[in-house]
Amino acid sequence: MFTQAQSDRGRQLFRDECSECHYSSEMRDNAFQYEWERRTVGDLLDHVSGSMPDDDPGSLTPQQYVDVIAYILGLNGFPTGTVELAPDAPGLATPLKSPGS
Amino acid sequence: MAIHRRDFLKGVATAGAGIAMGTVDELAAQDRPTRAPAVRAGQVADVVVVGGGAFGAWAALYLQRLGVRVTLIDQHGPANSRATSGGETRGVRTSYGDRPHGLQWAGWATESIQRWKAWDAEHRTDLLPPLYFTTGDVIMREEMEPFIERTMENWDAMGRPYEVLTADEVRYRWPAIHTPDIEVVLYEPDAGVVRARRAIESVVEVFKREGGQVRIGRVQPLEGMSGDLGAVVLEDGTRVEGGRFVFALGPWLPGYFPDLLGKRIRIRTLGHVYYIATPPGDMRFQVPNIPSYNVPGVTGWPALPQDFRGFRIRTGGHRGDDPDTSVRWIDAEHHDRPREVLGEFFPALAEQPINETRACHYCGSVSRNFIIDRHPERSNLWIAGGGNAEAFKQGPVLGEFVADRVLGRVADDDELAQSFRIPEEEFEEDEGGFEP
Ligand SMILES: Cc1cc2nc3c(=O)[nH]c(=O)nc-3n(C[C@H](O)[C@H](O)[C@H](O)COP(=O)(O)OP(=O)(O)OC[C@H]3O[C@@H](n4cnc5c(N)ncnc54)[C@H](O)[C@@H]3O)c2cc1C
């Protein structure tokens, strides 16, 4: 659903844009999984791109938002593959319930 | 039955993880103490509470009411300008469908609403308006979300009244609200807003009236790594002795206990609160003409009488690692965001002046729950705090629970007590360079 290179870009973005307020471990802990287990990857993308960064939502490019999502998927145990996650990819319909849970 | 102080302290010293239950029961069974403050001055406190915010002030009051002698210490005074509880207002709601412990919090928040009302009924004076205002809370979303579903599940389980509205109904009831693309609306009629700083001031006044001692001073770092604590030391060298200690330091907790809490409590974000001027003579944005509101990432509420400081909106945040020095006003570079949200939902306010801004630290544990637990190496030292943006409202119940825990009236293996333990896990960054 996403590649290692994309997840690496997402990690860099996370550090630059998100770590001011968030720890990476928050994106995969029990509370995160509780909140997102009934939703899809696309829902998470909509949420993040619609509400983050908190004081300037929508200020990253669509590509940057999916890169961050790829990083979060990696944190939650989703395997990397050969195709990047794209803003309109079929992978967005995938349930977010972590494969590890 | 009277209990001798020496026996109480002896119980403390020997109890370790447990506590001499007979002693505690006797304490609890006592009538309220009637000793005058002057008589108590100079006496050693049974419990010293450090930190006069929502946790510390309420805990001190409940401890006092359980018959023990309490000293409350705060570095700047209770509900001071740098304390998280020193803000103007705090929202009171029970919609916790987004948290694993949401049902429990909803129960405590519901009980707290009753206690806020009772507090007003008992302590309100003729000269000032109440501390608690029932505003109702309208939650608006573009689509059904698990947060909404679970909030309703919780409310159904509790038998708590709520309404599911349409966007049309929202605009009909409160014409000043716009509802762009809103498809899902929940309304909690009993939710409200409390005057935060004034509320804590009143709790502390009652605490003093009932015999509690309040001192202003900064408790210095503890000496040594372990062992029961006999006293805390203030910056001028004064020792304040006690039998038990509650550290309710809010966002100062991780800095005070860096090894224990440095990576377990997060304080790096300061939330942004704005009070927006309502148009002159326009009553639409005041209680009771518009409810509190919750739209994605943003909460707020109407202006409150008598001073009507403004229509409250909370958005965004900035980074700050040290609560002693962090910036507590909001720079103009952030002001577009509240205006954007106002433009969407309350367009009549979008261009209105900003009366006040205020930033304060969110203080959240890695468990996302409160921490109310004994220090692992000092059995007579308790830590109370956390809860991010949700502890203030629950203060009247939290304080009682802290008091009960500290006096052994709630056992260590109690389910709730377990849920408030210092978590084992820590916040992590995926790679180096992480300094909490
Ligand atoms: C932007 C924002 C919005 C919020 N909105 C809501 C809301 O709508 N509803 C809600 O319920 N909650 C809300 N909260 C959360 C709520 O305000 C807090 O949970 C609560 O006030 C925390 O109280 P506390 O006692 O833990 O900390 P504090 O109020 O910070 O108290 C800690 C006290 O300890 C003292 N202290 C620290 N170190 C020392 C020392 N060494 N010696 C002596 N004294 C010391 C400090 O001076 C301070 O007074 C919000 C928080 C923020 C930041």
Side-chain angles (χ1 to χ4, degrees):
Chain A
M1 200 192 332
F2 63 98
T3 67
Q4 186 61 49
Q6 184 177 28
S7 165
D8 290 346
R9 288 198 307 268
R11 181 169 67 186
Q12 194 52 47
L13 276 163
F14 187 90
R15 295 185 64 129
D16 294 345
E17 304 289 340
C18 318
S19 67
E20 180 130 317
C21 301
H22 298 288
Y23 294 107
S24 53
S25 56
E26 273 174 77
M27 302 298 137
R28 61 170 161 74
D29 65 10
N30 288 343
F32 178 86
Q33 282 165 11
Y34 178 85
E35 199 175 339
W36 288 98
E37 68 187 7
R38 295 189 191 180
R39 311 194 72 184
T40 65
V41 175
D43 289 334
L44 181 63
L45 175 63
D46 285 349
H47 171 75
V48 173
S49 56
S51 63
M52 294 289 149
D54 209 8
D55 60 353
D56 199 7
S59 56
L60 307 189
T61 65
Q63 183 64 49
Q64 287 175 314
Y65 279 115
V66 280
D67 290 352
V68 171
I69 299 303
Y71 170 58
I72 295 174
L73 291 175
L75 289 175
N76 282 279
F78 285 85
T80 53
T82 50
V83 184
E84 290 211 344
L85 185 66
D88 52 359
L92 295 178
T94 309
L96 253 177
K97 198 166 169 51
S98 152
S101 63
Chain B
M1 178 198 232
I3 170 155
H4 295 294
R5 236 189 73 66
R6 217 177 30 243
D7 294 342
F8 177 73
L9 288 179
K10 206 167 92 196
V12 172
T14 55
I19 160 169
M21 287 305 293
T23 307
V24 165
D25 287 347
E26 286 164 11
L27 271 172
Q30 278 187 114
D31 289 332
R32 281 189 195 174
T34 51
R35 288 165 291 188
V39 178
R40 303 176 135 228
Q43 292 179 332
V44 176
D46 295 317
V47 183
V48 174
V49 178
V50 188
F55 276 92
W58 281 107
L61 179 67
Y62 280 110
L63 282 160
Q64 175 87 9
R65 288 182 168 181
L66 286 169
V68 298
R69 193 178 300 131
V70 183
T71 297
L72 175 64
I73 307 175
D74 196 290
Q75 57 189 354
H76 302 295
N80 63 77
S81 187
R82 299 200 76 81
T84 318
S85 308
E88 193 59 38
T89 53
R90 288 290 182 259
V92 184
R93 63 182 172 97
T94 72
S95 44
Y96 287 127
D98 48 353
R99 292 151 211 264
H101 45 268
L103 184 58
Q104 189 266 317
W105 277 20
W108 272 17
T110 303
E111 171 62 20
S112 293
I113 290 174
Q114 299 316 314
R115 295 194 188 186
W116 283 116
K117 291 178 181 170
W119 186 262
D120 265 334
E122 197 180 345
H123 299 293
R124 181 184 171 184
T125 70
D126 295 342
L127 293 178
L128 287 171
L131 296 167
Y132 183 77
F133 293 84
T134 300
T135 57
D137 187 36
V138 65
I139 305 171
M140 299 189 280
R141 293 291 186 271
E142 288 183 9
E143 58 185 2
M144 182 51 84
E145 293 178 2
F147 157 60
I148 304 270
E149 285 169 358
R150 284 171 164 148
T151 294
M152 288 194 289
E153 287 165 17
N154 288 348
W155 285 345
D156 288 339
M158 298 163 68
R160 184 156 175 78
Y162 65 93
E163 294 175 55
V164 178
L165 304 179
T166 63
D168 287 346
E169 283 168 324
V170 170
R171 291 192 307 273
Y172 177 76
R173 290 188 190 193
W174 307 288
I177 303 184
H178 284 214
T179 54
D181 302 324
I182 292 300
E183 296 289 339
V184 178
V185 183
L186 265 192
Y187 181 59
E188 183 184 9
D190 202 24
V193 179
V194 64
R195 293 272 197 185
R197 181 175 63 246
R198 275 192 42 218
I200 296 299
E201 284 169 357
S202 77
V203 172
V204 173
E205 277 312 304
V206 173
F207 166 71
K208 287 200 287 197
R209 195 192 302 159
E210 296 183 6
Q213 297 278 316
V214 177
R215 299 189 69 143
I216 297 192
R218 176 148 171 142
V219 170
Q220 301 300 292
L222 301 178
E223 283 167 15
M225 298 293 289
S226 59
D228 278 0
L229 201 59
V232 289
V233 180
L234 305 185
E235 71 285 352
D236 64 356
T238 312
R239 286 170 61 79
V240 182
E241 294 179 7
R244 295 171 198 209
F245 295 81
V246 180
F247 278 70
L249 308 182
W252 285 265
L253 278 170
Y256 196 88
F257 298 104
D259 295 339
L260 183 62
L261 301 177
K263 288 189 177 183
R264 294 190 168 95
I265 289 186
R266 172 187 104 144
I267 60 152
R268 70 206 299 189
T269 313
L270 285 95
H272 286 174
V273 172
Y274 300 81
Y275 289 91
I276 307 292
T278 55
D282 186 341
M283 310 280 283
R284 289 176 299 166
F285 300 100
Q286 302 173 356
V287 164
N289 298 327
I290 207 159
S292 298
Y293 60 95
N294 175 324
V295 296
V298 177
T299 60
W301 38 82
L304 306 178
Q306 290 303 15
D307 53 0
F308 298 108
R309 302 184 85 87
F311 183 83
R312 190 264 199 191
I313 179 165
R314 184 204 39 75
T315 65
H318 66 257
R319 174 93 183 242
D321 295 318
D322 179 356
D324 284 324
T325 56
S326 51
V327 174
R328 302 311 181 90
W329 44 274
I330 307 171
D331 194 87
E333 69 172 286
H334 299 287
H335 294 184
D336 288 350
R337 178 67 182 142
R339 294 207 178 285
E340 203 177 283
V341 177
L342 292 169
E344 256 182 275
F345 294 98
F346 309 97
L349 297 179
E351 302 301 327
Q352 283 298 105
I354 296 171
N355 283 346
E356 291 179 27
T357 71
R358 189 174 184 87
C360 65
H361 288 266
Y362 295 118
C363 172
S365 87
V366 61
S367 66
R368 310 231 183 156
N369 209 333
F370 307 122
I371 291 181
I372 302 168
D373 199 5
R374 209 190 294 270
H375 189 287
E377 276 128 33
R378 297 181 184 269
S379 64
N380 67 342
L381 191 166
W382 292 79
I383 290 167
N388 258 335
E390 309 303 332
F392 193 91
K393 65 177 70 64
Q394 302 184 58
V397 178
L398 273 169
E400 183 176 35
F401 189 84
V402 173
D404 284 345
R405 272 300 267 144
V406 170
L407 295 186
R409 291 158 54 90
V410 172
D412 285 350
D413 60 1
D414 175 90
E415 203 179 317
L416 263 184
Q418 288 292 324
S419 72
F420 302 144
R421 293 205 54 187
I422 297 168
E424 281 176 17
E425 65 271 33
E426 298 180 341
F427 286 115
E428 340 160 344
E429 259 338 288
D430 57 311
E431 53 185 15
F434 164 59
E435 289 295 332

